[in-house]
């Protein structure tokens, strides 16, 4: 049997540079729309916005793309983080934010899959190579300290 391999394309899950305009807070949702594109949605645009630079890309949100290499027609499943399991921290202020509602868009299946029952769905690759794009939701408190927040999350694939 061929080993099941999960590899990342090098692009990080990055919510971009967010401006907290009020003391209300809100959420930033990154949702994959294809293997190379996503939407960035604010729960309340009156409270949050992005910082943009003319011609620059360093402050924009990005989503990662993962490749799964598998045995042809052998079923596997993808496991993504459950809600409230991923926290990002600013090293200077030591404040945190929670990343929830992880979801992915599989290259050969319609629709978004979320953590829980839909993420544990199994499928077999007809050609032994699939990709999926990952998105999530960041919750920002009304009193959130400015900073550079970083964290990690776990994704795995396993034969079924």
């Amino acid at each position: 049997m061929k080993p099941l391999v999960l590899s990342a394309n090098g692009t990080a899950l990055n919510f971009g540079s967010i401006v907290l305009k009020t003391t209300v807070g809100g959420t930033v949702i990154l949702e994959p729309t294809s293997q190379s594109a996503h939407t960035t949605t604010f729960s309340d645009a009156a409270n949050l916005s992005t910082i943009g630079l003319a011609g620059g890309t360093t402050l924009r949100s990005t989503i990662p793309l993962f490749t799964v290499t598998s045995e042809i027609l052998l079923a596997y499943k993808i496991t993504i983080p459950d809600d409230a399991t991923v926290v990002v921290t600013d090293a200077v202020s030591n404040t945190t934010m929670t990343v929830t509602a992880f979801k992915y868009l599989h290259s050969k299946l319609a629709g978004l899959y979320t953590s829980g029952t839909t993420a544990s769905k199994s499928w077999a690759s007809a050609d032994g190579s699939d990709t999926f794009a990952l998105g999530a939701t960041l919750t920002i408190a009304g009193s959130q300290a400015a900073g550079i927040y970083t964290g990690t999350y776990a994704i795995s694939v396993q034969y079924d």
Side-chain angles (χ1 to χ4, degrees), residues 15 26-28 82-89 95-102 136-141 144 149:
F15 290 89
T27 60
V28 181
D82 290 325
D83 280 354
T85 60
V86 177
V87 175
V88 292
T89 305
T95 55
T96 63
M97 290 187 278
T98 304
V99 180
T100 60
F102 279 84
T137 299
L138 175 69
T139 301
I140 302 171
Q144 197 71 52
Y149 289 79

Side-chain angles (χ1 to χ4, degrees), residues 19 25 32 42 91 105 130 143 146:
V19 176
F42 298 103
L105 181 65
D130 300 326
S143 61

Side-chain angles (χ1 to χ4, degrees), residues 42-139:
F42 298 103
S43 61
D44 189 342
N47 301 326
L48 302 170
S49 69
T50 59
I51 297 173
L53 294 177
T57 60
T58 57
L59 301 176
R60 295 183 185 168
S61 60
T62 59
I63 60 170
L65 182 68
F66 295 90
T67 300
V68 179
T69 307
S70 67
E71 186 74 37
I72 293 174
L73 298 179
L74 189 57
Y76 69 89
K77 59 184 169 183
I78 299 167
T79 303
I80 58 177
D82 290 325
D83 280 354
T85 60
V86 177
V87 175
V88 292
T89 305
D90 176 55
V92 175
S93 67
N94 203 35
T95 55
T96 63
M97 290 187 278
T98 304
V99 180
T100 60
F102 279 84
K103 59 189 77 93
Y104 65 90
L105 181 65
H106 195 279
S107 60
K108 296 177 182 161
L109 301 169
L112 289 169
Y113 292 86
T114 60
S115 59
T117 56
T118 57
S120 62
K121 178 181 176 180
S122 294
W123 43 73
S125 178
D127 62 6
S129 181
D130 300 326
T131 60
F132 65 94
L134 184 71
T137 299
L138 175 69
T139 301

